[in-house]
Amino acid sequence: MAKKEGGDASELKHKLLGLVKIIVDGDDYTVQTTDEAIATLSALKDLKYRNRRSFSDKLEDFPLPPQFRCPISTQLMTDPVILSTGQTYDRPFIQRWLNEGHRTCPQTQQVLSHSILTPNYLVRDMIAQWCRDHGIELPEPVRDIDEVVTDADRGHLNSLLHKLSLSLSDQKEAAKELRLLTKRMPSCRTIFGESSDLITQLLSPLSPGRACAHPDLQEDLITTVLNLSIHDDNKKVFGEDPTVISLLIDALKSGTIQTRSNAAAAIFTLSALDSNKHIIGKSGAIKHLLNLLDEGHPLAVKDAASAIFNLCLVHENKGRTVREGAVQVILNKIMDQILVDELLAILALLSCHPRAVEEMGNLGAVPLLLCAIRDSTSERSKENCVAILYTICYSDRTKWKEIREEEKANGTLSKLAECGTSRAKRKANGILERLNRSPSLTHTA
């Protein structure tokens, strides 16, 4: 089985390498190519996650010799080291102990003569042999001590989760501490991916489909979800939990502005996985993200726009976004000079949808885009503008006269064809060639 999974990983890596080469080396890559690259990367991540979980499952099948367990973590050591007292620990756990300022041995309480950690090659070789004998592949040693989880961490977290089932004052106190804990201690984030029961406990004070009667409690719990969603292994678990997505949508609709902003940010981080983009798109979240963007609160618009952009990287969500009135909302914000660069990137994604192109033409996008090309200092925004104009030009002949008259007055496209990015030059030249082939065209309704 391990051999097959390794083979799958090699095939996925080879496929991803080819897709990335197409994207990096050429300017004519398609949206489908980027979608395929994202899907392949997501598949690799899922495979890595499954392999990591399968190690824990296999380990439970065999009694682990006590001398192979770290006294701090009680887990199998992957990088055993000797402390000055002669005791052996797993490096990341004893290193965290030392980094916290302790200068005693956790087991014997002896004062350390020094803090140098010496590799215990004998124990390491014994562990490696034991793993081989039982058909278990020893995982790579943990390099990031922030991801180290101790029994004390688990105990403290469980006590806080229990308080969420008690009185309202206990719930508020626990939620506030969980919010701070998951922000300051990345190691605590790793625990939530291990069991859906922990997520259920965390969100138990909230009821899906109902406005929360205690906005401060909702804000702390939704912010905790945001903090947890940052950890890669939690993204899939959270995204596939209907309660999590439902409560995030509730928060988008009726929370404080901080809660709504953090709910949008959580959706953004969860939508890093391709599979989650589809789930969130189907959930109806896009409508509420657009409402948040439309309201224009400075604290929330960036998070809402980022989430919408991520969701629109898969084709089916583009149609949903257009149907919810995104074009009007985005054009209004661009006219108000709000998040121009970010919103032009979304508009460029939507421009492959026929209804979006039609709405852009009807809502006066052409002069707005031409003005943005003239005034913007961002080469990426200019490129997005001309790419959208190119699509409009090829879809709606009634806009040709408007573009030609602007070109005669300001030479906007000609300048871009000379000084823009390679893609912007190509799009600008394509529009100019189209206009030059029809010099006598007049505007018709």
Side-chain angles (χ1 to χ4, degrees):
M1 179 65 183
K3 185 175 181 181
K4 182 181 186 303
E5 289 179 345
D8 289 344
S10 298
E11 290 171 14
L12 287 169
K13 288 177 182 179
H14 182 72
K15 180 179 179 182
L16 181 62
L17 188 64
L19 292 167
V20 170
K21 183 173 177 60
I22 292 171
I23 294 170
V24 172
D25 292 348
D27 295 316
D28 290 327
Y29 61 88
T30 63
V31 173
Q32 286 75 17
T33 303
T34 58
D35 284 347
E36 195 174 352
I38 293 169
T40 306
L41 192 59
S42 178
L44 264 174
K45 185 179 291 185
D46 290 346
L47 183 61
K48 187 75 172 177
Y49 177 78
R50 288 199 303 274
N51 288 345
R52 190 178 304 173
R53 297 290 291 175
S54 65
F55 169 76
S56 302
D57 294 340
K58 283 184 178 180
L59 205 56
E60 291 176 0
D61 294 338
F62 306 101
L64 185 64
Q67 66 269 27
F68 294 169
R69 294 183 184 273
C70 172
I72 299 175
S73 69
T74 71
Q75 299 167 10
L76 177 68
M77 291 185 284
T78 57
D79 190 6
V81 292
I82 304 171
L83 205 54
S84 64
T85 57
Q87 306 296 319
T88 296
Y89 298 91
D90 204 3
R91 182 187 296 275
F93 292 92
I94 191 61
Q95 187 65 63
R96 175 174 162 183
W97 170 267
L98 295 173
N99 289 354
E100 289 173 350
H102 300 289
R103 287 299 175 263
T104 57
C105 173
Q107 277 188 293
T108 67
Q109 301 304 311
Q110 287 178 266
V111 176
L112 303 178
S113 59
H114 59 78
S115 59
I116 298 172
L117 301 176
T118 305
N120 191 330
Y121 294 113
L122 175 61
V123 171
R124 189 175 69 180
D125 290 345
M126 290 170 64
I127 291 173
Q129 184 61 51
W130 182 87
C131 287
R132 282 194 295 271
D133 291 345
H134 292 84
I136 298 173
E137 184 178 350
L138 186 66
E140 289 294 318
V142 176
R143 297 303 178 193
D144 186 356
I145 60 172
D146 283 339
E147 293 192 3
V148 167
V149 182
T150 65
D151 286 343
D153 293 333
R154 293 178 185 276
H156 182 49
L157 184 63
N158 286 331
S159 69
L160 291 175
L161 291 172
H162 175 66
K163 287 178 72 174
L164 290 175
S165 65
L166 303 179
S167 67
L168 179 61
S169 60
D170 284 328
Q171 290 177 3
K172 289 187 175 184
E173 182 183 338
K176 195 167 292 295
E177 189 168 347
L178 281 164
R179 175 179 181 170
L180 294 174
L181 192 68
T182 53
K183 178 181 180 181
R184 295 172 180 171
M185 289 187 62
S187 58
C188 284
R189 300 173 193 158
T190 66
I191 301 175
F192 279 83
E194 298 172 3
S195 170
S196 59
D197 291 341
L198 298 180
I199 305 170
T200 302
Q201 285 181 268
L202 172 67
L203 299 175
S204 59
L206 303 178
S207 300
R210 294 184 190 173
C212 184
H214 306 284
D216 53 338
L217 176 61
Q218 182 191 34
E219 181 179 316
D220 286 334
L221 291 176
I222 292 299
T223 306
T224 301
V225 171
L226 167 60
N227 295 339
L228 294 171
S229 69
I230 295 170
H231 188 67
D232 284 346
D233 288 349
N234 290 340
K235 292 187 191 328
K236 186 176 179 62
V237 180
F238 279 42
E240 293 179 355
D241 189 319
T243 302
V244 173
I245 302 303
S246 179
L247 289 173
L248 288 176
I249 293 175
D250 290 343
L252 285 175
K253 293 191 286 186
S254 60
T256 66
I257 192 61
Q258 184 67 65
T259 302
R260 298 173 73 196
S261 175
N262 288 346
I267 288 173
F268 167 70
T269 58
L270 291 176
S271 62
L273 282 188
D274 232 27
S275 56
N276 285 351
K277 289 182 179 72
H278 294 284
I279 293 170
I280 296 169
K282 292 175 182 176
S283 73
I286 292 172
K287 173 184 177 180
H288 304 292
L289 288 168
L290 283 168
N291 288 341
L292 190 58
L293 178 61
D294 193 26
E295 289 173 23
H297 195 288
L299 194 64
V301 287
K302 183 70 177 287
D303 289 319
S306 298
I308 293 167
F309 177 85
N310 248 15
L311 292 172
C312 286
L313 289 173
V314 296
H315 184 72
E316 67 187 52
N317 285 338
K318 293 173 186 175
R320 293 187 176 108
T321 305
V322 173
R323 288 191 293 275
E324 293 293 350
V327 174
Q328 178 75 76
V329 172
I330 291 172
L331 290 177
N332 287 344
K333 294 302 167 195
I334 292 174
M335 283 189 277
D336 293 338
Q337 294 298 301
I338 296 173
L339 290 182
V340 174
D341 294 346
E342 292 86 347
L343 295 179
L344 282 171
I346 298 175
L347 213 56
L349 284 176
L350 298 180
S351 65
C352 67
H353 194 281
R355 178 171 167 178
V357 176
E358 181 183 353
E359 288 185 11
M360 281 188 260
N362 295 337
L363 294 171
V366 169
L368 186 66
L369 294 168
L370 288 166
C371 180
I373 293 174
R374 292 196 304 271
D375 297 342
S376 178
T377 57
S378 166
E379 292 300 321
R380 180 60 64 187
S381 287
K382 292 179 181 181
E383 182 179 303
N384 283 327
C385 284
V386 74
I388 298 166
L389 281 170
Y390 182 89
T391 304
I392 293 174
C393 184
Y394 273 69
S395 302
D396 187 355
R397 295 167 61 91
T398 66
K399 303 302 174 189
W400 291 8
K401 182 181 179 183
E402 186 177 7
I403 297 172
R404 181 185 291 109
E405 288 176 352
E406 201 286 341
E407 184 62 22
K408 287 180 179 177
N410 298 300
T412 303
L413 294 174
S414 297
K415 293 173 184 175
L416 189 62
E418 292 179 7
C419 305
T421 64
S422 59
R423 182 167 177 254
K425 289 178 181 178
R426 192 166 57 255
K427 296 294 183 182
N429 279 318
I431 297 172
L432 291 171
E433 289 171 8
R434 190 82 167 183
L435 297 179
N436 291 335
R437 286 203 299 268
S438 308
S440 61
L441 181 72
T442 58
H443 178 75
T444 57

